[in-house]
Every structure is written in C-alpha cells, then in structure tokens.
Amino acid sequence: MSNPCPIGVFDSGLGGISVLQDIRRLLPNESLLYIADSAHVPYGEKSPEFIIQRSMAISRFLLQQPVKAIVIACNTATAAAVTELRKQWPEVLFVGMEPAVKPAVRASQAGKIGVLATTGTLRSARFAALLERFACDVEVLTQPCPGLVELIENGELESDVTKALLARYVEPLLAAGCDTLILGCTHYPLIKPVLRTLIAPDVQLIDTGEAVARRLQSELAKRGELATAQQPQDRFYGSGDLASIERTLALLWPQPQTVTVLGF
Ligand code: DGL
C-alpha cells in the first residue's frame, strides 16, 4: 500500500524549511507541498486567535490539494492551533512540534537548560505543561528572541546584525551556566552556523526537526501511506513578497524554486 499525494508543511514563513530538510533526508520519495505564510510573519508576536484562523485557512487549502498529512513546522502555530485543527479534522494526520525539553533534560550535565523560542511559544499553556511534565529536576531559562525571525526571513543568515542580535539573546543563558540550548523555533536551526561561533563546542544544541520527520515516517508507515519509487515533485506557496521568499528559499533548498501566490 502507498499514497502518492504530497505531504503538506506550513510555517509562518521559511523557518519550516529546516523541518522540510529533515523530512527530505528521511523520506526522499515523498512529494512536499510547502506554505510560507510570510505576509503574517512573525506568528510569535500575534494572538493565538489570529494564529488559529491562519492555521485553519492554510490547512483547508492543503486538504483541497489534497495532501495526505499536514506538518505544522512551527512551534508557535502548534502551541496555538494544533488542538483546534485536530478537533476540526479528526481524520487527518497532523504532526506538530514543540521545544525539545525532554531530550534536553536528558542531555544536560549541568542541569541548566536554555530555551530560545518565540514569545508566543513561551507564553503558551502547552509549553507550561511541557515544563511541568519533563523539567521538574532541572533549571530552565527561557529567552524570547524578537527580531531574529525577520532577519532570517530576509536571508540574513550570517550577517553581522544577525550575529549581534543572537549574541544578545544567548549570552545571558551561557553566563547562567546553561550547557544545553533548545532551538524552540524552526527558524533558528537555519542560523546554527552563526550560533556555533558564539558558544563553546561542548554546549549542545537541540532542535525538533529530525524527531518530527521520524514521527511522520512512522505514522505514514502505520497507515500504509508512504510513497514508493516516485520522482518527488515539490511545490511552494507563499503569502507576501514572493520575490523575497524566492531569494531566501534559494539559500535553503537545493534546486531553484518558484513560489506561487497563496490567494488568502
Ligand atoms: N518558525 C516559527 C516557530 O517555530 C515561528 C516564527 C514566527 O513567526 O514568530 O515558532
């Protein structure tokens, strides 16, 4: 059994490409349909109600294509909307993501963990529940990172401005003795090379992309819906400035891609 339909993946912008890279590595036969809601980036500073409304509209569009699963490649959108999405479409496979607290607790020798994420994720009830469940014996320092997502969207993956802003966010966590940092926003793995230059080699960086790809693989396998032996066809949609999305996408995805306008 197999299902040749694409997998739908969405984010507030291009951060979800870090997850798309992990999905492509693990599932090279799958066609991928990616949505960058860049007209509304950053989700991290928007209300949960707004994010639910966007996530619903995007999921409706994806299901019309149709797709066989939807990956919410955004911690902020998962925190705000995954419960509503699953309620609305109980038969659909939604794979969401959240900051990797459990693996970080396991990895930290110092018992001190830093979490870099959006304001929305850090304020959410889902994140509070995650800490309560997995982080009772460690110290967790949280750091919202306003401004960083916009720089990444703009393709500034290695600029001095990006480096300086990142340093401002990371230094207090390092000074407090964190030996493990969670990248709790899908945009941040895209600037890992710069981040690496700011931290000691033994500080561990943990993100969720690979775990999401594995979960997607096992759920599709369970349903008999993995694609077999096909030439994958990828499609990209975006809201906002398409030329700017294409420019940044070219830095992140191997073949040149055109981005189709999302009409809502
Ligand atoms: N990439 C998103 C996340 O994982 C959100 C970034 C934003 O739009 O604020 O949280």
Side-chain angles (χ1 to χ4, degrees):
M1 271 196 330
S2 83
N3 182 341
C5 286
I7 294 163
V9 181
F10 77 90
D11 178 43
S12 62
L14 291 165
I17 299 291
S18 66
V19 182
L20 208 68
Q21 291 166 346
D22 285 313
I23 295 172
R24 172 50 43 84
R25 257 193 295 277
L26 194 66
L27 298 168
N29 291 330
E30 300 290 344
S31 294
L32 305 171
L33 197 167
Y34 186 85
I35 294 189
D37 193 15
S38 303
H40 302 103
V41 76
Y43 277 6
E45 308 295 322
K46 306 278 191 306
S47 71
E49 293 72 24
F50 180 83
I51 299 169
I52 290 171
Q53 182 211 315
R54 289 306 295 167
S55 302
M56 287 278 189
I58 290 168
S59 298
R60 195 166 295 115
F61 172 81
L62 284 170
L63 292 170
Q64 279 160 1
Q65 302 311 304
V67 296
K68 61 182 170 186
I70 296 180
V71 177
I72 310 167
C74 177
N75 294 266
T76 314
T78 300
V82 69
T83 307
E84 296 297 321
L85 294 173
R86 289 186 175 136
K87 210 187 291 167
Q88 177 77 19
W89 291 286
E91 72 293 355
V92 173
L93 170 59
F94 284 99
V95 178
M97 56 198 305
E98 50 198 11
V101 173
K102 191 179 171 193
V105 169
R106 228 183 289 128
S108 175
Q109 302 280 315
K112 271 193 192 171
I113 292 165
V115 186
L116 299 161
T118 67
T119 309
T121 296
L122 296 175
R123 268 201 204 132
S124 68
R126 274 184 91 88
F127 183 66
L130 198 61
L131 290 187
E132 203 169 303
R133 179 139 179 244
F134 295 115
C136 13
D137 297 331
V138 296
E139 199 177 323
V140 178
L141 283 85
T142 57
Q143 177 64 62
C145 305
L148 208 49
V149 161
E150 291 90 325
L151 289 170
I152 296 166
E153 286 290 308
N154 199 31
E156 295 194 43
L157 306 181
E158 292 177 343
S159 75
D160 291 344
V161 180
T162 300
K163 190 169 175 175
L165 187 60
L166 191 53
R168 231 177 67 203
Y169 293 140
V170 168
E171 271 158 17
L173 302 177
L174 299 176
C178 294
D179 66 347
T180 305
L181 300 180
I182 297 174
L183 305 184
C185 166
T186 53
H187 282 76
Y188 307 160
L190 301 176
I191 51 169
K192 235 195 233 182
V194 170
L195 179 53
R196 271 273 157 231
T197 68
L198 297 169
I199 61 179
D202 58 343
V203 172
Q204 308 191 66
L205 297 178
I206 303 198
D207 67 75
T208 328
E210 205 188 312
V212 165
R214 269 190 270 111
R215 165 95 205 288
L216 176 66
Q217 182 185 42
S218 90
E219 288 297 328
L220 288 175
K222 232 191 278 171
R223 295 164 187 234
E225 292 198 292
L226 285 166
T228 48
Q230 65 164 5
Q231 280 297 91
Q233 306 263 324
D234 302 330
R235 276 187 284 157
F236 292 81
Y237 289 83
S239 60
D241 180 352
L242 297 194
S244 158
I245 298 174
E246 283 175 358
R247 251 191 329 271
T248 301
L249 183 59
L251 304 172
L252 304 170
W253 199 250
Q255 302 87 32
Q257 301 287 335
T258 50
V259 178
T260 306
V261 66
L262 196 64
F264 55 90

